[in-house]
Amino acid sequence: GESVGLHLPTLSVQEGDNSIINCAYSNSASDYFIWYKQESGKGPQFIIDIRSNMDKRQGQRVTVLLNKTVKHLSLQIAATQPGDSAVYFCAENTMEYRNKLVFGAGTILRVKS
Amino acid sequence: GAGVSQSPRYKVAKRGQDVALRCDPISGHVSLFWYQQALGQGPEFLTYFQNEAQLDKSGLPSDRFFAERPEGSVSTLKIQRTQQEDSAVYLCASSSSTGTGEQYFGPGTRLTVT
């Protein structure tokens, strides 16, 4: 989707459809990844995490896929609801700097009713 | 239960003023983090505390930025002689873990320097 306002990529989906949000991470040494959801005026909220020894992890209505070969992470949201509208960030972490999360730029998800 | 709280929620400062931003982490959380989030961007790491010890301050952008957590609970981020480029949302997060683990974020303080 085209970037709007905040110059973030935007994904618009119909309520009830599945959403896929993508993230390319930068550090091949990263071994822990997290997806966060951020609503307007709030801090980021943890959605799901995955370690590098896995390629898929499922939560409630969400699935994270990790492809280490191409350094790509995706978040799939099933049956997207209006309450899912937010900015979504992926974050990566390395063993060397375990206390430091590095966030991606974010994707705006808009759910149309 | 109470989450991470931050105060003030909004702060307007004239350029050159000093500001102090407060973070109350979740009770008992060992780790505390500060992030800076510019408009339209993801949060950027500033500094990390494990209890009262500041173990990493590599993300602080200049020596005008100073953070403390003297008793291992509440933390204060101080910015001296604020500049317009300091305008951002300052997020605090806490975690019960000292390694990887879920970080719980507060709502942030939006700082506007005029």
Side-chain angles (χ1 to χ4, degrees), chain A residues 6-8 31-32 34 36 38 40-47 49 51 87 89 93-94 97-106, chain B residues 9-10 33 35 37 39-45 47-48 55-56 58-59 89 91 98-108 110:
Chain A
L6 300 178
H7 308 292
L8 295 177
D31 63 353
Y32 179 59
I34 311 172
Y36 282 92
Q38 188 173 27
S40 182
K42 297 184 179 180
Q45 178 187 359
F46 175 95
I47 302 173
D49 60 0
R51 298 187 186 277
V87 180
F89 294 98
N93 185 242
T94 65
Y97 299 100
R98 193 49 89 203
N99 54 278
K100 187 180 296 186
L101 286 178
V102 176
F103 283 79
Chain B
R9 290 295 316 277
Y10 303 91
F33 310 81
Y35 293 84
Q37 186 173 26
L39 186 64
Q41 296 183 21
E44 290 196 3
F45 172 85
T47 188
Y48 163 65
L55 298 186
D56 188 341
S58 62
V89 174
L91 294 162
T98 57
T100 57
E102 185 173 343
Q103 293 186 22
Y104 295 84
F105 282 82
R110 181 176 295 279

Side-chain angles (χ1 to χ4, degrees), chain B residues 61-107:
Chain B
S62 77
D63 59 7
R64 296 186 295 105
F65 286 71
F66 172 76
E68 60 183 5
R69 193 187 186 198
E71 297 177 359
S73 55
V74 171
S75 177
T76 304
L77 177 67
K78 298 179 179 177
I79 309 173
Q80 297 176 322
R81 304 181 303 282
T82 52
Q83 304 294 317
Q84 283 194 319
E85 61 263 27
D86 300 335
S87 296
V89 174
Y90 291 86
L91 294 162
C92 175
S94 71
S95 172
S96 60
S97 168
T98 57
T100 57
E102 185 173 343
Q103 293 186 22
Y104 295 84
F105 282 82

